[in-house]
Amino acid sequence: MVKVLHTSDWHLGRLLDGEERGEEFYSFFSFMLSEIERRGIDVLLVSGDVFDSSVPRNSAVQAFADLLTRLRSSSLSHAVFIAGNHDSASFLRILKTLGENDKIHIFPNAPSDGEGLVLDNRLYIMPIAFLRDGDLGLGYGEDYETRQLEAYARYFNLCDEKYSVNGMKIPCICMAHLFLTGSSIAPGDGVRANVGTLGQVSASLLPKTPCYYALGHIHKPQRIGKRADMRYCGTPLAMSFDEAADQKTMIEVCIKDDGQISIEEVPIPRFRNLQLIKGDLEKIRASLEALGHDGSQAYCEIVYEGPAMETELYEKVRLLCPPNVHLVAVKASIKASEAGLESIQDLGMLSPATVFQRKLDDLGLEEEQRRSLTEAFSQALKALEDEDENT
Ligand SMILES: [Mn+2]
């Protein structure tokens, strides 16, 4: 029997509205390593989006390097990493050169010949890193979506063929970083850039031989359709306040030599309290007061939902904040019917000039005053933008 632990979408280096999450990642790694020892895990699978960006910040690379050192001295036999769409293939190639050994396996790209990875003659891995157009020999143009699906199908077939050509009798796991049709995403999870069905792949196209599919890309843990063997394990940390209440998981898969599997979800503790508070000022005051009594270190996002725009909202909220609460963002969402404005999800969605004009509307100034204030504002804004360009 082989024991596998499936995790993905770490997004190392990702900020939460400007806040570093290094401590939480180190806590997660310690938790993961203790579960590896406690459960006697043989193989760790990380199904893509190891880093949040193609040029990860130094602290993220350091955290990954520290993790590799700890993995090497752990009881684990193998750790396999594949690239996700957030990872840079060329950056992972550098890490592969520096960090790969008998135990650590890094796949910046899916192997072009569909060849898999054989671990100790006990387990066969299909390391299907995120497939970019270049990997699939695809150019943009007519019938792009159809050609893309055909290219996916051809590649997945190739993976199956390689497995059977090699005369493999050992169980097979497919690691893949992709967006399967029918998976559900949460708002703010970083994959919403995929509009409609573009880039989505039907599970029926996937390789047929694997007994388990260790999927990455979607942040909410879920199985695909009714299949227990096809899973997204989700992110280990809440990546946004929308995910704050979600239970994060890893997945333990025990695989018998005949390919029979049993699956257990491994709940991940919350290493830092993320609180999303929505409501009018009174509700915000009460919730912050409760957090103050609770005393735990919390990151907090406030969404003001009052009947009308509050002036000096950030300042008012800041003054209500107890010392154990770190205020990460203050947003406003005005109810359209009551305020006579279109609904504002997030002040960040409006241009500074629009926000300024709205402020002027509120003040009901003389036309002359309005014109000179607008001019002064434009100049100040332009000076700021020029400064940005020069840094
Ligand atoms: Mn992804």
Side-chain angles (χ1 to χ4, degrees):
M1 190 175 72
V2 187
K3 278 191 168 187
V4 167
L5 188 64
H6 164 205
T7 169
S8 77
D9 296 84
W10 292 353
H11 290 275
L12 286 175
R14 187 180 178 104
L15 304 178
L16 182 72
D17 280 313
E19 299 298 325
E20 286 244 21
R21 321 240 358 230
E23 262 179 51
E24 290 167 276
F25 279 116
Y26 274 92
S27 302
F28 165 62
F29 291 155
S30 294
F31 171 74
M32 182 178 79
L33 283 155
S34 71
E35 289 298 301
I36 286 171
E37 304 291 338
R38 195 170 73 80
R39 294 167 182 267
I41 298 292
D42 303 296
V43 179
L44 173 70
L45 303 178
V46 185
S47 298
D49 286 353
V50 179
F51 293 99
D52 188 55
S53 83
S54 53
V55 192
R57 57 189 62 241
N58 290 352
S59 55
V61 183
Q62 183 68 56
F64 185 72
D66 291 346
L67 174 70
L68 289 191
T69 306
R70 292 172 81 183
L71 287 175
R72 283 194 200 98
S73 60
S74 73
S75 60
L76 200 67
S77 302
H78 298 279
V80 188
F81 297 85
I82 61 171
N85 56 312
H86 279 250
D87 296 305
S88 144
S90 55
F91 180 68
L92 286 198
R93 269 194 290 278
I94 298 171
L95 292 184
K96 183 181 170 76
T97 313
L98 295 174
E100 203 163 60
N101 61 9
D102 294 346
K103 195 163 177 170
I104 310 288
H105 313 269
I106 299 174
F107 290 87
N109 298 93
S112 56
D113 56 1
E115 193 71 60
L117 173 70
V118 180
L119 299 176
D120 304 328
N121 271 320
R122 292 203 296 164
L123 187 63
Y124 185 96
I125 306 279
M126 294 176 176
I128 307 181
F130 181 71
L131 292 162
R132 293 192 160 81
D133 286 354
D135 301 315
L136 295 167
L138 265 178
Y140 202 76
E142 218 173 298
D143 297 328
Y144 173 79
E145 275 189 65
T146 315
R147 285 187 291 114
Q148 188 189 38
L149 288 180
E150 286 167 359
Y152 273 125
R154 264 199 309 280
Y155 183 75
F156 298 148
N157 265 329
L158 188 62
C159 294
D160 272 334
E161 273 168 28
K162 270 288 149 72
Y163 177 79
S164 54
V165 165
N166 287 336
M168 286 296 164
K169 293 280 187 285
I170 53 177
C172 170
I173 288 184
C174 171
M175 294 173 81
H177 192 93
L178 41 62
F179 193 0
L180 283 185
T181 314
S183 52
S184 75
I185 60 173
D189 79 346
V191 297
R192 280 181 301 166
N194 294 284
V195 181
T197 56
L198 188 63
Q200 289 195 25
V201 184
S202 160
S204 64
L205 294 181
L206 287 174
K208 305 287 182 287
T209 32
C211 60
Y212 181 73
Y213 298 78
L215 304 173
H217 189 51
I218 307 291
H219 291 180
K220 210 178 152 83
Q222 58 195 282
R223 54 172 84 180
I224 297 302
K226 294 202 163 59
R227 296 190 58 160
D229 61 344
M230 213 174 253
R231 297 210 182 214
Y232 286 105
C233 57
T235 52
L237 305 185
M239 286 289 131
S240 69
F241 284 92
D242 294 304
E243 297 178 23
D246 298 356
Q247 174 62 62
K248 298 299 181 183
T249 62
M250 296 185 285
I251 297 169
E252 185 196 75
V253 191
C254 296
I255 305 161
K256 291 195 188 141
D257 295 341
D258 63 1
Q260 291 257 25
I261 60 167
S262 56
I263 288 174
E264 190 189 332
E265 287 174 13
V266 181
I268 302 173
R270 210 165 291 161
F271 304 107
R272 179 135 196 181
N273 192 1
L274 257 64
Q275 287 286 334
L276 178 62
I277 298 175
K278 289 184 177 184
D280 58 15
L281 268 186
E282 203 33 61
K283 166 93 189 293
I284 292 169
R285 184 197 315 276
S287 304
L288 285 173
E289 206 174 281
L291 274 178
H293 289 313
D294 148 334
S296 69
Q297 293 296 314
Y299 281 141
C300 194
E301 179 178 286
I302 306 282
V303 179
Y304 169 77
E305 292 179 327
M309 187 66 98
E310 280 282 340
T311 53
E312 311 288 332
L313 178 63
Y314 185 87
E315 201 49 29
K316 283 178 185 164
V317 171
R318 198 181 62 78
L319 290 172
L320 294 172
C321 242
N324 60 312
V325 173
H326 187 93
L327 197 56
V328 171
V330 178
K331 299 176 177 179
S333 165
I334 308 294
K335 292 195 183 92
S337 57
E338 294 167 53
L341 294 167
E342 74 263 37
S343 168
I344 304 167
Q345 282 293 329
D346 179 345
L347 267 182
M349 285 160 52
L350 300 176
S351 73
T354 309
V355 175
F356 189 73
Q357 288 307 317
R358 294 231 168 126
K359 181 67 189 168
L360 294 182
D361 293 344
D362 279 356
L363 294 173
L365 301 171
E366 302 274 324
E367 192 52 41
E368 177 59 26
Q369 250 179 324
R370 206 181 154 115
R371 209 175 46 76
S372 65
L373 279 173
T374 303
E375 201 169 299
F377 179 78
S378 309
Q379 279 173 10
L381 194 62
K382 183 160 185 319
L384 267 179
E385 284 166 355
D386 289 348
E387 207 171 277
D388 271 356
E389 267 171 36
N390 295 333
T391 50

